[in-house]
Amino acid sequence: METSTQDTQKAIKGGEFLIRETAASEIFIPEEWSEEQKMIAQTCNDFLDQEVFPHLDEIDSMKNPDIMPGLMDKAGALGLLGTSVPEQYGGFGMNFNTTMLVAEVTGAGHSFAVALNAHTGIGTLPILYYANEEQKQKYLPKLATGEWKAAYCLTEPDSGSDANSGKTKAELSSDGKHYTINGQKMWITNGGFADIFIVFAKIEDDKNLTAFIVEKGFGGITMNEEEKKMGIKGSSTRQVFFNDCKVPVENMLSERENGFKIAVNILNVGRIKLGASAIGACKKVISTAVNYAGERKQFGTSISDFGAIKYKIAEMTTRNFASESASYRAGQNIDDAYDALLASGMDAPKARLKSLEEFAIECAILKVHGSEVLDYVVDEGVQIYGGMGFSAEGPMDRAYRDARINRIFEGTNEINRMLCIDMLLKRAMKGHLDLMTPAMAVQQELMSIPDFGAADEEGIFVKEKKALNNLKKAGLMAAGAAVQKFMQKLGEEQEILTNLADMLIEGYIAESCLLRVEKLIAQKGEANCQVEIDMAKVYLHRAVEIAGSAGKEAIMSFAEGDELRLMLMGLKRFTKMEPFNIKDARRRIADHVIAKNEYPF
Amino acid sequence: MKILVCITHVPDTTSRISFTDNDTKFDTNGVQFIIGPYDDYALARAVELKEANGATLTVLNVGLADAEPTIRKALAIGADDAIRVNAEPSDSLFVANQIAHYAKEGGYDLILMGRESIDFNGGVVHGMVGEILGLPSISPVMTLELDGNTAQLSREIEGGKEQIEVDLPFVAGCQEPIAEWKIPNMRGIMTARTKPLNVVEPVGDETGATLVNFEMPPAKGAVKMIDADNVGELVDLLKNEAKVL
């Protein structure tokens, strides 16, 4: 599938956005989906309309245990389970960004989305990326059609975020033909109906996990009842027990002790796709809420006529638009990195993994941002619905409850925030990313006379780009000072890491939004992009505010005296934005969405 | 066996309708286009017949290049090839003439389409095509079974149901429940681009009618609630305000 990209993108490294100015022409924007990609999205939409949305209550009631596997079968018949699987194994070998699009659209499908993502993501990808040829031939065609359904068994009662501390054991039999797995796994999505389990266990006294492909038919697998959950109630979630489960040695996935690495790498995909799914869920909630706001009359007028409601509609839309901009920018970066690695002679699964690993920082950013935008959107969705929002009979109840898990699974948002900064600093230490030079330049700038120029420069987003650039400087300043202060012990300062992560996240998202709109202007002309321009400015304003506040908290947490004063002054300088009438901008955004009566981008 | 399904390229059912050029043109700006829902039923049944009988299935659309995504969706759903008659589908007779010409040229055994389009809802094209080709035409067809060279059809009529037996070839205007709409699957979508979409020029320019202008229905007025005990006021309002008595 073709998407328009520039050759220059091939050189882009993960995390580099912080120190590299990206041209708008370099990024992929969702307005560039091909006809074929749009048709794929439409198929996903039609599937939800026909098979999922009319049955949401039934799905969530869990009274019929066949309903979810039945839906998966139907999705399989449409090819929705094989989008990432290469054609030689019975799939469709779509590029990464197209599979992101599928994740986005199906993301509106509540519990079904969770089952689908677990199967196609953490269930199938470990085999796709790490299995040997024989294992691939055996498992992938059946997973791509849905004949076999997959689950992923990593988490244990005492091993959640600290995944490598799992206690499940695998012991080699005396004849060397099989491993016997014993242990307990928890929160296993699709557990109730899965045929294949990707199981992580430690062989004997190994330090690291090893992964196995376990068929239900191997025996020794029992389960607890379905978990009772706050949301995604229709998604099967079980505790799975392995009691002398005999797994043939040929079912070890990859090498001994490579399991933790598999888990970490697969989570990169899970994270960025979770972000994409959240975008689809947001679009549905926004459309539903806007429609209600238009119909609901109070004081003789639609509540969508009120500024307080317009504020919500504009913010919901803007934040989602920004998240979407960043998601497909990163998705395309991953595709380009993959193509480049493939061209350099690397084999396909390795190239896919490497390309994802390269953009692991962006994956973590998008997981955090997407899930938090979704929680904001569902919260305001409830609020717009008022009393009906709190009613369990209305559509916002399910949306609100189902959204919440996204900040928890695929690595909590707290873990992902730490990871963002940890990965960034590690890359700097290893010399992959030169953060030192720009960080020094910022320190230099702090000591010099502030730059009052550029106010008279003309052109689209000149001021905004300066503000964005300054936002990045604020991040570099705070991060640089924190590293100098704590050195190796920075990892223990989770509050500061969280502040720094917020600066990083907002910088990336705001930049992506700005670049998307800039590219749109180049394609459609400024006059046809007024609402998008408003959104880019409104989002940037938000990003700068968050970065200012997070930066201040970080600096106050470790600096003192003159250094503190100097940095606070610098921060103030770096988080200054040209004033504009943000109320009117939000009203224009909301009016556009209200006129379309749905999320229109 | 050769099946021809004629499809329209029409605004989605939820589109907001407005006009431009002094109310003489439909404003397509921002409008999502789809395969006409009734045509989609005809297409779905044709795909089933093709799978059961090993037929070849061609879709035909009278329309401009902007209809091609809609046509390719029909290819993704299961048609083998497509014909686009390169002309604005301006009026029923014009469209029927185009279909009849290319249907005759292709020698089809079954010519299916929706009972009506959902833009102008004329509902006459199938009858006209049958008339031009000298073939039986039946509408609205709700079931269609093939038995060799004969088809069993049923349609609802005032107060009952009609069973019809007809020899091939014939023309049918279809509606639900003839088949369930088919969602294009991934394989269909990915092979659609490799299937032929032949663009041909229209024949003749005979039209049956000329469009003068469009008019939106008057906006709905406010509802007045009148107490059930107050019949006198109701009569008065119907007489003097609504002027319907």
Side-chain angles (χ1 to χ4, degrees):
Chain A
M1 226 148 295
E2 282 172 31
T3 48
S4 57
T5 54
Q6 306 284 319
D7 287 342
T8 47
Q9 247 177 301
K10 306 255 187 296
I12 292 178
K13 290 194 235 169
E16 204 182 18
F17 67 89
L18 185 60
I19 48 169
R20 176 185 185 273
E21 197 167 335
T22 306
S25 61
E26 287 178 64
I27 72 159
F28 172 81
I29 61 174
E31 287 77 7
E32 293 172 319
W33 291 126
S34 69
E35 182 190 311
E36 196 171 288
Q37 287 166 319
K38 285 181 195 161
M39 219 191 286
I40 290 166
Q42 189 59 47
T43 282
C44 298
N45 259 323
D46 289 348
F47 181 78
L48 294 186
D49 280 341
Q50 277 186 31
E51 304 289 346
V52 178
F53 294 149
H55 309 294
L56 288 173
D57 285 335
E58 198 188 342
I59 293 169
D60 275 1
S61 77
M62 288 293 255
K63 281 186 187 140
N64 174 3
D66 298 329
I67 191 164
M68 189 60 87
L71 280 175
M72 295 288 282
D73 287 337
K74 287 179 181 171
L78 280 181
L80 297 180
L81 306 184
T83 54
S84 302
V85 177
E87 291 183 76
Q88 72 205 87
Y89 304 112
F92 303 99
M94 294 176 187
N95 68 9
F96 188 72
N97 237 0
T98 310
T99 67
M100 287 277 286
L101 179 62
V102 171
E104 180 203 311
V105 182
T106 54
H110 296 277
S111 293
F112 168 71
V114 178
L116 180 82
N117 285 341
H119 173 85
T120 57
I122 53 183
T124 301
L125 297 183
I127 298 179
L128 179 57
Y129 294 154
Y130 288 98
N132 59 38
E133 190 54 35
E134 223 178 320
Q135 292 168 334
K136 283 184 191 175
Q137 294 284 359
K138 183 173 180 189
Y139 293 106
L140 286 178
K142 287 186 169 133
L143 291 170
T145 58
E147 186 183 336
W148 282 351
K149 293 160 193 81
Y152 179 84
C153 303
L154 176 64
T155 302
E156 297 181 11
D158 296 321
S159 161
S161 296
D162 184 9
N164 209 22
S165 69
K167 293 194 182 80
T168 299
K169 290 274 174 217
E171 238 173 275
L172 188 63
S173 63
S174 49
D175 61 5
K177 285 188 176 159
H178 61 257
Y179 286 97
T180 304
I181 296 186
N182 278 292
Q184 179 184 1
K185 295 288 177 178
M186 216 177 164
W187 305 122
I188 306 308
T189 303
N190 293 353
F193 55 80
D195 307 285
I196 302 292
F197 299 84
I198 307 295
V199 182
F200 294 87
K202 281 180 185 159
I203 297 174
E204 284 138 26
D205 293 322
D206 283 355
K207 202 170 141 249
N208 291 308
L209 296 167
T210 302
F212 298 90
I213 309 169
V214 179
E215 297 177 23
K216 197 173 191 177
F218 289 166
I221 300 175
T222 53
M223 287 179 205
N224 268 3
E225 288 301 299
E226 288 291 342
E227 300 285 350
K228 302 230 178 312
K229 308 187 293 289
M230 174 194 281
I232 55 165
K233 288 172 185 278
S235 139
S236 170
T237 314
R238 301 272 194 145
Q239 275 197 54
V240 181
F241 301 92
F242 296 89
N243 301 309
D244 291 337
C245 172
K246 288 190 168 47
V247 181
V249 284
E250 58 268 24
N251 272 44
M252 184 196 284
L253 187 58
S254 179
E255 288 155 19
R256 185 168 173 167
E257 288 204 80
N258 208 25
F260 185 63
K261 201 174 162 203
I262 295 175
V264 168
N265 279 329
I266 293 302
L267 281 176
N268 286 332
V269 194
R271 283 171 186 150
I272 189 168
K273 287 210 175 159
L274 184 149
S277 293
I279 291 162
C282 281
K283 286 183 179 178
K284 176 123 172 66
V285 171
I286 293 168
S287 293
T288 310
V290 167
N291 187 282
Y292 183 81
E295 282 177 3
R296 174 72 176 165
K297 303 260 192 313
Q298 284 293 282
F299 306 104
T301 180
S302 295
I303 61 167
S304 61
D305 290 334
F306 297 122
I309 300 293
K310 286 186 187 188
Y311 173 94
K312 296 181 195 303
I313 292 172
E315 275 298 308
M316 292 156 88
T317 306
T318 302
R319 291 187 201 178
N320 194 49
F321 180 85
S323 204
E324 186 189 41
S325 310
S327 283
Y328 294 112
R329 171 191 183 187
Q332 187 66 49
N333 286 156
I334 290 167
D335 269 327
D336 290 340
Y338 171 77
D339 289 343
L341 290 167
L342 215 56
S344 75
M346 195 179 276
D347 70 53
K350 207 168 173 196
R352 189 51 85 196
L353 274 171
K354 279 275 160 215
S355 62
L356 281 155
E357 212 178 329
E358 179 64 44
F359 290 93
I361 295 172
E362 284 81 353
C363 291
I365 288 176
L366 289 163
K367 191 272 173 180
V368 171
H369 193 262
S371 60
E372 291 181 3
V373 168
L374 177 58
D375 260 357
Y376 171 75
V377 165
V378 295
D379 189 71
E380 292 291 40
V382 170
Q383 198 68 14
I384 288 172
Y385 262 71
M388 276 309 291
F390 198 63
S391 162
E393 311 267 296
M396 288 304 158
D397 166 65
R398 178 179 286 109
Y400 188 79
R401 288 184 289 97
D402 285 359
R404 191 60 182 80
I405 186 63
N406 289 294
R407 279 162 53 201
I408 300 168
F409 60 17
E410 308 284 348
T412 64
N413 284 13
E414 288 71 20
I415 289 275
N416 273 294
R417 280 190 160 89
M418 311 295 157
L419 274 175
C420 288
I421 301 302
D422 182 57
M423 289 189 280
L424 195 68
L425 294 180
K426 275 193 184 135
R427 285 174 196 209
M429 308 274 193
K430 285 184 185 164
H432 293 324
L433 277 183
D434 178 20
L435 295 185
M436 212 48 190
T437 314
M440 297 294 278
V442 174
Q443 274 202 341
Q444 206 64 43
E445 196 178 333
L446 272 183
M447 309 290 194
S448 57
I449 300 161
D451 165 25
F452 295 110
D456 53 350
E457 270 183 54
E458 291 292 320
I460 190 74
F461 293 147
V462 169
K463 291 170 190 158
E464 286 74 16
K465 283 192 171 171
K466 192 172 175 199
L468 183 74
N469 211 18
N470 279 338
L471 188 163
K472 292 181 185 178
K473 285 182 190 169
L476 284 167
M477 175 188 77
V483 170
Q484 278 181 3
K485 176 88 184 172
F486 296 103
M487 305 298 278
Q488 299 300 327
K489 292 199 163 171
L490 182 58
E492 290 164 27
E493 302 295 330
Q494 297 199 338
E495 300 91 330
I496 294 171
L497 288 175
T498 302
N499 292 145
L500 297 177
D502 283 342
M503 300 176 91
L504 185 75
I505 292 169
E506 292 305 330
Y508 185 63
I509 304 286
E511 180 180 73
S512 303
C513 183
L514 207 60
L515 291 173
R516 174 182 181 180
V517 178
E518 192 183 345
K519 191 169 190 186
L520 263 183
I521 292 168
Q523 291 174 356
K524 289 172 31 181
E526 197 176 330
N528 294 316
C529 301
Q530 290 304 313
V531 178
E532 288 88 346
I533 293 171
D534 280 331
M535 286 196 291
K537 287 186 181 173
V538 169
Y539 195 87
L540 180 64
H541 172 81
R542 170 183 160 73
V544 169
E545 289 293 311
I546 292 174
S549 148
K552 194 170 168 188
E553 282 205 14
I555 294 163
M556 292 191 310
S557 302
F558 63 79
E560 286 171 345
D562 283 348
E563 191 199 8
L564 173 66
R565 270 190 294 278
L566 183 69
M567 278 205 288
L568 285 180
M569 249 162 53
L571 185 72
K572 208 169 171 187
R573 201 199 298 172
F574 292 144
T575 53
K576 202 169 66 181
M577 214 185 139
E578 202 72 29
F580 69 107
N581 189 330
I582 196 163
K583 182 203 78 177
D584 284 354
R586 285 206 188 94
R587 283 196 175 187
R588 286 190 296 268
I589 298 164
D591 286 342
H592 180 74
V593 181
I594 292 162
K596 298 280 179 190
N597 202 29
E598 63 179 358
Y599 182 88
F601 303 105
Chain B
M1 190 170 61
K2 290 179 77 177
I3 307 174
L4 181 71
V5 175
C6 308
I7 60 166
T8 50
H9 165 74
V10 292
D12 197 352
T13 47
T14 55
S15 305
R16 291 197 164 191
I17 307 297
S18 61
F19 304 105
T20 57
D21 294 14
N22 277 333
D23 288 342
T24 58
K25 249 183 136 176
F26 172 57
D27 184 3
T28 57
N29 194 16
V31 172
Q32 167 93 19
F33 281 82
I34 57 169
I35 301 175
Y38 294 114
D39 309 324
D40 218 355
Y41 286 119
L43 178 63
R45 186 62 189 136
V47 171
E48 290 170 0
L49 291 172
K50 168 186 141 88
E51 282 165 5
N53 300 283
T56 61
L57 170 53
T58 302
V59 288
L60 182 148
N61 167 262
V62 181
L64 301 175
D66 63 346
E68 289 195 358
T70 302
I71 299 170
R72 265 190 293 271
K73 183 170 180 190
L75 291 170
I77 288 172
D80 300 300
D81 59 356
I83 301 167
R84 180 171 70 80
V85 182
N86 189 26
E88 187 89 50
S90 53
D91 116 292
S92 302
L93 182 62
F94 174 78
V95 171
N97 271 326
Q98 307 310 317
I99 295 172
H101 176 83
Y102 287 102
K104 195 171 177 184
E105 204 175 85
Y108 297 96
D109 305 289
L110 262 180
I111 301 166
L112 306 182
M113 61 191 80
R115 60 176 284 180
E116 62 190 71
S117 63
I118 61 150
D119 47 6
F120 295 96
N121 303 73
V124 293
V125 170
H126 35 74
M128 287 177 169
V129 171
E131 193 62 26
I132 297 165
L133 294 174
L135 296 177
S137 72
I138 302 108
S139 179
V141 175
M142 299 166 80
T143 65
L144 192 168
E145 299 297 333
L146 278 184
D147 182 11
N149 208 33
T150 309
Q152 308 287 336
L153 315 177
S154 71
R155 57 186 214 109
E156 257 170 34
I157 54 169
E158 192 70 35
K161 221 174 192 183
E162 189 179 60
Q163 304 287 345
I164 301 166
E165 194 174 279
V166 59
D167 285 343
L168 273 49
F170 65 92
V171 183
C174 307
Q175 74 164 60
E176 75 276 22
I178 193 164
E180 279 187 27
W181 285 328
K182 295 210 181 313
I183 302 175
N185 61 35
M186 295 301 125
R187 190 160 309 286
I189 292 169
M190 294 180 84
T191 51
R193 66 186 138 163
T194 63
K195 292 177 177 176
L197 195 171
N198 302 307
V199 181
V200 297
E201 288 309 310
V203 288
D205 54 5
E206 184 189 5
T207 54
T210 312
L211 180 98
V212 182
N213 75 313
F214 297 107
E215 212 173 283
M216 293 292 277
K220 264 193 200 160
V223 176
K224 274 189 186 159
M225 302 299 284
I226 294 153
D227 198 90
D229 299 332
N230 216 344
V231 180
E233 192 189 343
L234 175 66
V235 173
D236 180 56
L237 285 170
L238 289 174
K239 208 181 233 172
N240 299 317
E241 196 173 311
K243 297 190 170 65
V244 292
L245 288 181

